[in-house]
Amino acid sequence: MATHQEGFLTRAASPLPIDLGLLERFLEAEHRVEWRPVDPPPISATSRRKPRVARSGAMARSVIGARLAYYHDETARIEHRSVGSADVLTVTSGPVGALVIVGECHRRGLPTRLAARIAGDVPEFPEGAIEARWDANARAKRYAIPFADVVNLARYALT
């Protein structure tokens, strides 16, 4: 069993379809990423007066952590959440977000789902996002975008 940096235990990661030299460069770059907390959005006076309605089921988003990743002159929002039995990593669609996904895949293995979120689909990611999901109960891997596209996008973070 491999240990994830946030404390989650996962199955031993299978080899990634990335050249070893390139993977080493990705991991070295990931170690140089600067992490900062996400400032909560300001609460308007009207929303303070409204009673909060709890969401349940598939609509519930149990955010475990959200951070900003800075590398060179790029920034990405990184959000980790739990949805049922799955761990979901949503990142800003861009080189730094892709770099974080590659590092996470190195630790956890390939995700069971990989998808793109269009700009504005998720309010916290107005530029669009890439979402990786690890679910031990998934029967098959479903990739709306190829993992190779994530790797190619992460290459831009190295320049």
Side-chain angles (χ1 to χ4, degrees):
M1 302 272 295
T3 304
H4 175 266
Q5 70 181 8
E6 300 290 334
F8 299 102
L9 294 177
T10 60
R11 287 180 261 163
S14 59
L16 296 178
I18 302 174
D19 174 74
L20 267 179
L22 181 59
L23 180 59
E24 286 177 12
R25 290 181 61 205
F26 284 147
L27 297 176
E28 181 181 310
E30 187 190 31
H31 288 298
R32 292 192 311 253
V33 168
E34 293 179 36
W35 295 97
R36 297 188 184 145
V38 174
D39 293 329
I43 299 173
S44 67
T46 56
S47 65
R48 278 183 263 190
R49 287 184 236 141
K50 293 180 184 177
R52 297 189 77 160
V53 178
R55 295 185 288 178
S56 63
M59 293 299 291
R61 295 185 67 201
S62 174
V63 176
I64 295 171
R67 305 181 285 173
L68 295 177
Y70 292 92
Y71 185 69
H72 292 301
D73 60 346
E74 299 266 342
T75 303
R77 179 185 173 95
I78 312 299
E79 183 179 280
H80 181 232
R81 61 188 162 88
S82 179
V83 177
S85 65
D87 285 326
V88 181
L89 184 68
T90 307
V91 303
T92 300
S93 186
V96 176
L99 178 67
V100 171
I101 287 180
V102 168
E104 191 68 17
C105 289
H106 172 71
R107 288 181 287 281
R108 303 184 79 168
L110 288 170
T112 53
R113 269 182 93 174
L114 195 56
R117 299 285 175 239
I118 60 171
D121 189 26
V122 180
E124 294 84 2
F125 296 90
E127 307 89 18
I130 303 170
E131 190 172 273
R133 181 180 299 242
W134 289 267
D135 188 350
N137 296 330
R139 296 181 187 259
K141 292 184 178 180
R142 296 188 321 190
Y143 289 6
I145 56 174
F147 183 71
D149 287 357
V150 174
V151 172
N152 286 334
L153 184 57
R155 284 177 189 240
Y156 286 101
L158 300 177
T159 58

Short mmCIF file of all heavy atoms in Angstrom, two decimals, residues 21-55:
data_model
loop_
_atom_site.label_atom_id
_atom_site.label_comp_id
_atom_site.label_asym_id
_atom_site.label_seq_id
_atom_site.Cartn_x
_atom_site.Cartn_y
_atom_site.Cartn_z
N GLY A 21 12.54 9.30 -17.38
CA GLY A 21 13.24 10.58 -17.28
C GLY A 21 12.28 11.75 -17.18
O GLY A 21 12.48 12.68 -16.38
N LEU A 22 11.22 11.70 -17.97
CA LEU A 22 10.20 12.76 -17.92
C LEU A 22 9.46 12.73 -16.59
O LEU A 22 9.21 13.77 -16.00
CB LEU A 22 9.23 12.60 -19.09
CG LEU A 22 8.11 13.64 -19.19
CD1 LEU A 22 8.69 15.05 -19.32
CD2 LEU A 22 7.21 13.32 -20.37
N LEU A 23 9.14 11.54 -16.11
CA LEU A 23 8.47 11.42 -14.81
C LEU A 23 9.33 12.01 -13.70
O LEU A 23 8.82 12.73 -12.83
CB LEU A 23 8.14 9.96 -14.51
CG LEU A 23 7.42 9.69 -13.19
CD1 LEU A 23 6.09 10.44 -13.11
CD2 LEU A 23 7.21 8.20 -12.99
N GLU A 24 10.63 11.76 -13.73
CA GLU A 24 11.53 12.34 -12.72
C GLU A 24 11.50 13.86 -12.78
O GLU A 24 11.49 14.53 -11.75
CB GLU A 24 12.95 11.82 -12.92
CG GLU A 24 13.14 10.39 -12.49
CD GLU A 24 14.53 9.87 -12.77
OE1 GLU A 24 15.44 10.69 -13.09
OE2 GLU A 24 14.73 8.65 -12.68
N ARG A 25 11.46 14.42 -13.99
CA ARG A 25 11.39 15.88 -14.14
C ARG A 25 10.07 16.41 -13.58
O ARG A 25 10.04 17.46 -12.92
CB ARG A 25 11.56 16.28 -15.60
CG ARG A 25 12.98 16.06 -16.11
CD ARG A 25 13.14 16.48 -17.55
NE ARG A 25 12.86 17.90 -17.72
CZ ARG A 25 12.45 18.44 -18.87
NH1 ARG A 25 12.26 17.69 -19.93
NH2 ARG A 25 12.21 19.73 -18.94
N PHE A 26 8.97 15.69 -13.83
CA PHE A 26 7.67 16.10 -13.28
C PHE A 26 7.70 16.11 -11.76
O PHE A 26 7.24 17.05 -11.12
CB PHE A 26 6.56 15.17 -13.76
CG PHE A 26 6.10 15.38 -15.18
CD1 PHE A 26 5.67 14.30 -15.93
CD2 PHE A 26 6.07 16.64 -15.76
CE1 PHE A 26 5.22 14.47 -17.23
CE2 PHE A 26 5.63 16.82 -17.07
CZ PHE A 26 5.20 15.73 -17.80
N LEU A 27 8.24 15.05 -11.18
CA LEU A 27 8.25 14.94 -9.72
C LEU A 27 9.17 15.99 -9.09
O LEU A 27 8.85 16.54 -8.04
CB LEU A 27 8.67 13.53 -9.30
CG LEU A 27 7.71 12.42 -9.74
CD1 LEU A 27 8.26 11.05 -9.36
CD2 LEU A 27 6.32 12.63 -9.19
N GLU A 28 10.28 16.27 -9.75
CA GLU A 28 11.18 17.32 -9.26
C GLU A 28 10.47 18.68 -9.31
O GLU A 28 10.55 19.47 -8.36
CB GLU A 28 12.44 17.35 -10.11
CG GLU A 28 13.45 18.39 -9.67
CD GLU A 28 14.67 18.39 -10.58
OE1 GLU A 28 15.23 17.30 -10.82
OE2 GLU A 28 15.04 19.48 -11.05
N ALA A 29 9.76 18.94 -10.40
CA ALA A 29 9.02 20.20 -10.52
C ALA A 29 7.91 20.27 -9.47
O ALA A 29 7.69 21.33 -8.87
CB ALA A 29 8.43 20.33 -11.92
N GLU A 30 7.25 19.16 -9.23
CA GLU A 30 6.16 19.15 -8.25
C GLU A 30 6.68 19.49 -6.84
O GLU A 30 6.00 20.17 -6.07
CB GLU A 30 5.47 17.79 -8.23
CG GLU A 30 4.24 17.79 -7.35
CD GLU A 30 3.67 16.42 -7.13
OE1 GLU A 30 4.43 15.43 -7.11
OE2 GLU A 30 2.46 16.34 -6.93
N HIS A 31 7.89 19.08 -6.52
CA HIS A 31 8.47 19.41 -5.21
C HIS A 31 8.75 20.90 -5.07
O HIS A 31 8.85 21.41 -3.96
CB HIS A 31 9.75 18.61 -4.97
CG HIS A 31 9.49 17.17 -4.69
ND1 HIS A 31 8.76 16.73 -3.62
CD2 HIS A 31 9.85 16.06 -5.38
CE1 HIS A 31 8.69 15.42 -3.64
NE2 HIS A 31 9.33 14.98 -4.71
N ARG A 32 8.89 21.60 -6.19
CA ARG A 32 9.16 23.05 -6.14
C ARG A 32 7.88 23.89 -6.20
O ARG A 32 7.95 25.11 -6.19
CB ARG A 32 10.10 23.42 -7.27
CG ARG A 32 11.51 22.85 -7.05
CD ARG A 32 12.52 23.47 -8.00
NE ARG A 32 12.09 23.48 -9.38
CZ ARG A 32 12.56 22.70 -10.35
NH1 ARG A 32 13.49 21.82 -10.08
NH2 ARG A 32 12.11 22.80 -11.58
N VAL A 33 6.73 23.24 -6.28
CA VAL A 33 5.46 23.98 -6.28
C VAL A 33 5.27 24.63 -4.91
O VAL A 33 5.50 24.01 -3.88
CB VAL A 33 4.28 23.03 -6.60
CG1 VAL A 33 2.94 23.71 -6.32
CG2 VAL A 33 4.35 22.56 -8.05
N GLU A 34 4.88 25.89 -4.92
CA GLU A 34 4.55 26.60 -3.68
C GLU A 34 3.06 26.49 -3.45
O GLU A 34 2.27 26.71 -4.36
CB GLU A 34 4.94 28.07 -3.79
CG GLU A 34 6.43 28.30 -3.89
CD GLU A 34 6.74 29.78 -4.02
OE1 GLU A 34 6.03 30.60 -3.38
OE2 GLU A 34 7.68 30.10 -4.76
N TRP A 35 2.68 26.15 -2.23
CA TRP A 35 1.27 25.96 -1.88
C TRP A 35 0.80 27.11 -1.00
O TRP A 35 1.49 27.51 -0.07
CB TRP A 35 1.07 24.64 -1.16
CG TRP A 35 1.37 23.47 -2.03
CD1 TRP A 35 2.54 22.78 -2.09
CD2 TRP A 35 0.51 22.88 -2.99
NE1 TRP A 35 2.46 21.78 -3.03
CE2 TRP A 35 1.22 21.81 -3.59
CE3 TRP A 35 -0.80 23.13 -3.40
CZ2 TRP A 35 0.64 21.02 -4.58
CZ3 TRP A 35 -1.36 22.33 -4.37
CH2 TRP A 35 -0.64 21.29 -4.95
N ARG A 36 -0.39 27.60 -1.29
CA ARG A 36 -1.00 28.65 -0.49
C ARG A 36 -2.47 28.30 -0.26
O ARG A 36 -3.09 27.64 -1.09
CB ARG A 36 -0.90 30.00 -1.21
CG ARG A 36 0.56 30.41 -1.39
CD ARG A 36 0.69 31.80 -1.91
NE ARG A 36 2.10 32.08 -2.15
CZ ARG A 36 2.54 32.82 -3.14
NH1 ARG A 36 1.71 33.36 -3.98
NH2 ARG A 36 3.82 33.03 -3.28
N PRO A 37 -3.02 28.77 0.84
CA PRO A 37 -4.45 28.51 1.10
C PRO A 37 -5.32 29.33 0.15
O PRO A 37 -4.90 30.37 -0.36
CB PRO A 37 -4.64 28.94 2.54
CG PRO A 37 -3.55 29.92 2.81
CD PRO A 37 -2.39 29.51 1.93
N VAL A 38 -6.52 28.87 -0.05
CA VAL A 38 -7.51 29.60 -0.85
C VAL A 38 -8.28 30.51 0.09
O VAL A 38 -8.80 30.06 1.11
CB VAL A 38 -8.49 28.62 -1.54
CG1 VAL A 38 -9.59 29.38 -2.26
CG2 VAL A 38 -7.73 27.73 -2.50
N ASP A 39 -8.31 31.79 -0.24
CA ASP A 39 -9.10 32.72 0.55
C ASP A 39 -10.58 32.47 0.30
O ASP A 39 -11.00 32.35 -0.86
CB ASP A 39 -8.76 34.17 0.19
CG ASP A 39 -7.34 34.54 0.58
OD1 ASP A 39 -6.85 33.98 1.58
OD2 ASP A 39 -6.73 35.37 -0.12
N PRO A 40 -11.38 32.35 1.35
CA PRO A 40 -12.82 32.13 1.15
C PRO A 40 -13.44 33.35 0.49
O PRO A 40 -13.01 34.48 0.73
CB PRO A 40 -13.36 31.91 2.56
CG PRO A 40 -12.36 32.52 3.47
CD PRO A 40 -11.03 32.47 2.76
N PRO A 41 -14.46 33.13 -0.35
CA PRO A 41 -15.11 34.27 -1.00
C PRO A 41 -15.87 35.10 0.03
O PRO A 41 -16.34 34.57 1.04
CB PRO A 41 -16.08 33.62 -1.99
CG PRO A 41 -16.31 32.25 -1.45
CD PRO A 41 -15.06 31.87 -0.72
N PRO A 42 -15.98 36.40 -0.20
CA PRO A 42 -16.73 37.23 0.74
C PRO A 42 -18.20 36.83 0.74
O PRO A 42 -18.75 36.46 -0.29
CB PRO A 42 -16.53 38.66 0.21
CG PRO A 42 -16.11 38.50 -1.20
CD PRO A 42 -15.46 37.15 -1.33
N ILE A 43 -18.82 36.91 1.91
CA ILE A 43 -20.24 36.56 2.03
C ILE A 43 -21.05 37.85 1.94
O ILE A 43 -20.82 38.79 2.71
CB ILE A 43 -20.50 35.84 3.38
CG1 ILE A 43 -19.69 34.56 3.44
CG2 ILE A 43 -21.98 35.56 3.55
CD1 ILE A 43 -19.74 33.87 4.77
N SER A 44 -21.97 37.87 0.99
CA SER A 44 -22.80 39.06 0.82
C SER A 44 -23.83 39.15 1.95
O SER A 44 -24.17 38.16 2.58
CB SER A 44 -23.50 39.03 -0.53
OG SER A 44 -24.44 37.99 -0.55
N ALA A 45 -24.33 40.34 2.16
CA ALA A 45 -25.31 40.56 3.22
C ALA A 45 -26.58 39.76 2.97
O ALA A 45 -27.20 39.25 3.90
CB ALA A 45 -25.63 42.04 3.35
N THR A 46 -26.99 39.63 1.72
CA THR A 46 -28.23 38.89 1.41
C THR A 46 -28.06 37.40 1.68
O THR A 46 -28.99 36.76 2.16
CB THR A 46 -28.66 39.11 -0.05
OG1 THR A 46 -27.58 38.74 -0.90
CG2 THR A 46 -29.07 40.53 -0.29
N SER A 47 -26.90 36.84 1.40
CA SER A 47 -26.72 35.40 1.63
C SER A 47 -26.57 35.09 3.11
O SER A 47 -26.84 33.99 3.55
CB SER A 47 -25.53 34.86 0.84
OG SER A 47 -24.34 35.44 1.31
N ARG A 48 -26.15 36.08 3.90
CA ARG A 48 -26.05 35.86 5.35
C ARG A 48 -27.43 35.72 5.98
O ARG A 48 -27.60 35.06 6.98
CB ARG A 48 -25.30 37.01 6.03
CG ARG A 48 -23.81 36.84 5.94
CD ARG A 48 -23.16 37.96 6.67
NE ARG A 48 -22.82 38.92 5.63
CZ ARG A 48 -22.08 39.98 5.79
NH1 ARG A 48 -21.61 40.29 6.95
NH2 ARG A 48 -21.79 40.76 4.79
N ARG A 49 -28.42 36.38 5.39
CA ARG A 49 -29.78 36.33 5.93
C ARG A 49 -30.54 35.08 5.53
O ARG A 49 -31.49 34.70 6.16
CB ARG A 49 -30.55 37.56 5.47
CG ARG A 49 -30.10 38.81 6.18
CD ARG A 49 -30.94 39.99 5.78
NE ARG A 49 -30.00 40.98 5.26
CZ ARG A 49 -30.19 41.77 4.23
NH1 ARG A 49 -31.31 41.71 3.55
NH2 ARG A 49 -29.28 42.62 3.84
N LYS A 50 -30.14 34.45 4.43
CA LYS A 50 -30.85 33.28 3.94
C LYS A 50 -30.45 32.05 4.76
O LYS A 50 -29.28 31.86 5.07
CB LYS A 50 -30.50 33.00 2.47
CG LYS A 50 -31.01 34.06 1.53
CD LYS A 50 -30.62 33.70 0.11
CE LYS A 50 -31.03 34.77 -0.86
NZ LYS A 50 -30.59 34.47 -2.22
N PRO A 51 -31.43 31.20 5.09
CA PRO A 51 -31.07 29.96 5.79
C PRO A 51 -30.33 29.03 4.85
O PRO A 51 -30.60 28.99 3.65
CB PRO A 51 -32.42 29.37 6.19
CG PRO A 51 -33.42 30.00 5.28
CD PRO A 51 -32.86 31.35 4.89
N ARG A 52 -29.37 28.30 5.38
CA ARG A 52 -28.58 27.37 4.58
C ARG A 52 -29.35 26.08 4.40
O ARG A 52 -29.89 25.54 5.35
CB ARG A 52 -27.24 27.10 5.24
CG ARG A 52 -26.41 28.37 5.33
CD ARG A 52 -25.07 28.04 5.78
NE ARG A 52 -24.39 27.47 4.61
CZ ARG A 52 -23.09 27.39 4.51
NH1 ARG A 52 -22.33 27.82 5.46
NH2 ARG A 52 -22.53 26.87 3.46
N VAL A 53 -29.38 25.60 3.19
CA VAL A 53 -30.05 24.34 2.87
C VAL A 53 -28.96 23.31 2.62
O VAL A 53 -28.11 23.48 1.75
CB VAL A 53 -30.95 24.49 1.62
CG1 VAL A 53 -31.59 23.17 1.27
CG2 VAL A 53 -31.99 25.57 1.85
N ALA A 54 -29.00 22.24 3.38
CA ALA A 54 -28.00 21.18 3.21
C ALA A 54 -28.33 20.35 1.98
O ALA A 54 -29.48 20.00 1.74
CB ALA A 54 -27.98 20.29 4.45
N ARG A 55 -27.31 20.07 1.18
CA ARG A 55 -27.50 19.21 0.02
C ARG A 55 -27.14 17.79 0.42
O ARG A 55 -26.31 17.57 1.28
CB ARG A 55 -26.60 19.67 -1.13
CG ARG A 55 -26.98 21.04 -1.63
CD ARG A 55 -26.18 21.40 -2.83
NE ARG A 55 -24.81 21.69 -2.42
CZ ARG A 55 -23.84 21.99 -3.26
NH1 ARG A 55 -24.06 22.05 -4.53
NH2 ARG A 55 -22.62 22.23 -2.82
#
